Amino acid sequence: MHQPDDDAWLTEHCRAIGDRIRAERLRQNRTQENVYLAAGISRFTLQEIEAGRANPTLKLLLRISRVLDTPLSNLV
């Protein structure tokens, strides 16, 4: 059953995941271009994920975690 706060909760968590991905990418001194090309995704997709506006699939998150050489659990 959909609750009124579900959308806010999902938005908050998508932003948190995007923030963690961006932080790890910057910690490694990598550009968005480097990551999206290595992950086989579009620039727009990575930008939307990092901004917390996307709802990435598990497969997409696994690609990004592999490219960043960090466990998926560190990103989610």
Side-chain angles (χ1 to χ4, degrees):
M1 184 164 113
H2 182 78
Q3 297 178 9
D5 292 336
D6 285 351
D7 292 337
W9 185 88
L10 289 171
T11 298
E12 177 185 335
H13 283 78
C14 284
R15 283 189 187 135
I17 290 169
D19 288 345
R20 288 185 203 106
I21 290 170
R22 182 184 315 104
E24 181 61 25
R25 177 179 60 77
L26 293 174
R27 188 189 71 72
Q28 293 181 19
N29 219 16
R30 295 177 77 168
T31 63
Q32 281 186 335
E33 181 178 31
N34 175 266
V35 174
Y36 74 73
L37 289 174
I41 62 176
S42 73
R43 176 182 178 190
F44 178 78
T45 298
L46 182 59
Q47 288 173 333
E48 290 293 294
I49 292 170
E50 285 191 358
R53 292 187 296 262
N55 184 13
T57 64
L58 176 59
K59 188 175 182 177
L60 201 77
L61 291 172
L62 286 167
R63 284 183 181 183
I64 293 169
S65 74
R66 186 183 77 198
V67 167
L68 293 175
D69 194 30
T70 191
L72 179 62
S73 60
N74 289 355
L75 303 178
V76 296

